[in-house]
Amino acid sequence: MKVFIPLLIILSSISCVSQKQTQEQDSIKEIVFNAQTRGSLENITVSDYTVFYKTHGESKTFAITATQRKELDILIGKLNLENLSTLKAPSNKRAFDGAMHATLAIKTGSTNYVSSHFDDDDPPVEIKSIVKALRSYIK
């Protein structure tokens, strides 16, 4: 019995550490919207509760609230991140400089998921609300 109790404690602590590591690996660490074309650049990066905004002409930093971050995480939670790279763009104006080439990247603790290219002003339906939220943070 004396050996059983310490063994039980060790096994339960290993299980807790393993669960915590899995949650950390799967949590969203960074969201990056990047759009560019000849002479134009727009980058919006969200890390924790900070939004970094960069263009050719300016760099700014904004703070978002815990509620905004939670809403963003909920929107991303609705996505199948494994399929992010296969999303179809609804338009192709970027092919003739009618729009900037854009991508959305979502970084978790263990993986970096990147969308297919799309027009910055017309993202795939599945990520439209995320792009809209990201752009609302910089206004």
Side-chain angles (χ1 to χ4, degrees), residues 6 14 39 47 72 81-82 112 126 137:
I14 290 172
S47 181
L72 185 59
L81 294 176
E82 296 289 332
N112 185 21
E126 297 88 348
Y137 301 151

mmCIF file of all heavy atoms in Angstrom, residues 6 14 39 47 72 81-82 112 126 137:
data_model
loop_
_atom_site.group_PDB
_atom_site.id
_atom_site.type_symbol
_atom_site.label_atom_id
_atom_site.label_comp_id
_atom_site.label_asym_id
_atom_site.label_seq_id
_atom_site.Cartn_x
_atom_site.Cartn_y
_atom_site.Cartn_z
ATOM 1 N N PRO A 6 2.382 6.616 -3.656
ATOM 2 C CA PRO A 6 3.311 7.459 -4.421
ATOM 3 C C PRO A 6 3.252 7.198 -5.931
ATOM 4 O O PRO A 6 3.370 8.120 -6.736
ATOM 5 C CB PRO A 6 4.687 7.101 -3.865
ATOM 6 C CG PRO A 6 4.433 6.516 -2.525
ATOM 7 C CD PRO A 6 3.090 5.879 -2.603
ATOM 8 N N ILE A 14 1.954 13.131 -14.099
ATOM 9 C CA ILE A 14 2.397 12.976 -15.484
ATOM 10 C C ILE A 14 1.238 13.215 -16.431
ATOM 11 O O ILE A 14 1.375 13.887 -17.446
ATOM 12 C CB ILE A 14 3.020 11.584 -15.708
ATOM 13 C CG1 ILE A 14 4.358 11.487 -14.981
ATOM 14 C CG2 ILE A 14 3.196 11.299 -17.196
ATOM 15 C CD1 ILE A 14 4.957 10.102 -14.970
ATOM 16 N N GLY A 39 4.327 47.382 -54.800
ATOM 17 C CA GLY A 39 4.235 48.701 -54.178
ATOM 18 C C GLY A 39 3.307 48.806 -52.987
ATOM 19 O O GLY A 39 3.232 49.864 -52.371
ATOM 20 N N SER A 47 -0.937 38.727 -31.621
ATOM 21 C CA SER A 47 -0.217 37.869 -30.696
ATOM 22 C C SER A 47 -0.698 38.231 -29.298
ATOM 23 O O SER A 47 -0.552 39.376 -28.869
ATOM 24 C CB SER A 47 1.290 38.094 -30.832
ATOM 25 O OG SER A 47 1.987 37.246 -29.967
ATOM 26 N N LEU A 72 -12.314 36.184 -31.511
ATOM 27 C CA LEU A 72 -11.430 35.770 -32.605
ATOM 28 C C LEU A 72 -11.111 34.278 -32.490
ATOM 29 O O LEU A 72 -11.151 33.542 -33.480
ATOM 30 C CB LEU A 72 -10.151 36.605 -32.600
ATOM 31 C CG LEU A 72 -9.168 36.391 -33.738
ATOM 32 C CD1 LEU A 72 -9.814 36.663 -35.089
ATOM 33 C CD2 LEU A 72 -7.946 37.274 -33.547
ATOM 34 N N LEU A 81 -8.628 23.715 -39.496
ATOM 35 C CA LEU A 81 -7.323 24.274 -39.844
ATOM 36 C C LEU A 81 -6.554 23.405 -40.828
ATOM 37 O O LEU A 81 -5.783 23.917 -41.635
ATOM 38 C CB LEU A 81 -6.488 24.515 -38.586
ATOM 39 C CG LEU A 81 -7.025 25.595 -37.647
ATOM 40 C CD1 LEU A 81 -6.173 25.684 -36.393
ATOM 41 C CD2 LEU A 81 -7.100 26.938 -38.339
ATOM 42 N N GLU A 82 -6.781 22.120 -40.780
ATOM 43 C CA GLU A 82 -6.103 21.206 -41.709
ATOM 44 C C GLU A 82 -6.462 21.523 -43.165
ATOM 45 O O GLU A 82 -5.678 21.286 -44.072
ATOM 46 C CB GLU A 82 -6.457 19.755 -41.395
ATOM 47 C CG GLU A 82 -5.991 19.281 -40.037
ATOM 48 C CD GLU A 82 -4.486 19.120 -39.947
ATOM 49 O OE1 GLU A 82 -3.848 18.851 -40.974
ATOM 50 O OE2 GLU A 82 -3.955 19.288 -38.837
ATOM 51 N N ASN A 112 1.942 25.505 -38.085
ATOM 52 C CA ASN A 112 1.619 26.757 -38.754
ATOM 53 C C ASN A 112 0.707 26.426 -39.932
ATOM 54 O O ASN A 112 1.117 25.724 -40.851
ATOM 55 C CB ASN A 112 2.902 27.445 -39.238
ATOM 56 C CG ASN A 112 2.650 28.800 -39.843
ATOM 57 O OD1 ASN A 112 1.628 29.429 -39.591
ATOM 58 N ND2 ASN A 112 3.567 29.250 -40.661
ATOM 59 N N GLU A 126 -15.225 30.996 -45.703
ATOM 60 C CA GLU A 126 -14.887 30.352 -44.428
ATOM 61 C C GLU A 126 -14.028 31.245 -43.525
ATOM 62 O O GLU A 126 -14.058 31.100 -42.295
ATOM 63 C CB GLU A 126 -14.127 29.036 -44.680
ATOM 64 C CG GLU A 126 -14.924 27.996 -45.414
ATOM 65 C CD GLU A 126 -14.832 28.101 -46.946
ATOM 66 O OE1 GLU A 126 -14.324 29.129 -47.468
ATOM 67 O OE2 GLU A 126 -15.266 27.156 -47.610
ATOM 68 N N TYR A 137 -9.698 45.747 -35.929
ATOM 69 C CA TYR A 137 -8.823 46.073 -34.805
ATOM 70 C C TYR A 137 -7.881 47.239 -35.116
ATOM 71 O O TYR A 137 -7.316 47.832 -34.200
ATOM 72 C CB TYR A 137 -7.958 44.880 -34.410
ATOM 73 C CG TYR A 137 -8.739 43.649 -34.008
ATOM 74 C CD1 TYR A 137 -8.208 42.395 -34.197
ATOM 75 C CD2 TYR A 137 -9.994 43.745 -33.435
ATOM 76 C CE1 TYR A 137 -8.908 41.246 -33.836
ATOM 77 C CE2 TYR A 137 -10.715 42.618 -33.072
ATOM 78 C CZ TYR A 137 -10.152 41.374 -33.272
ATOM 79 O OH TYR A 137 -10.849 40.250 -32.919
#
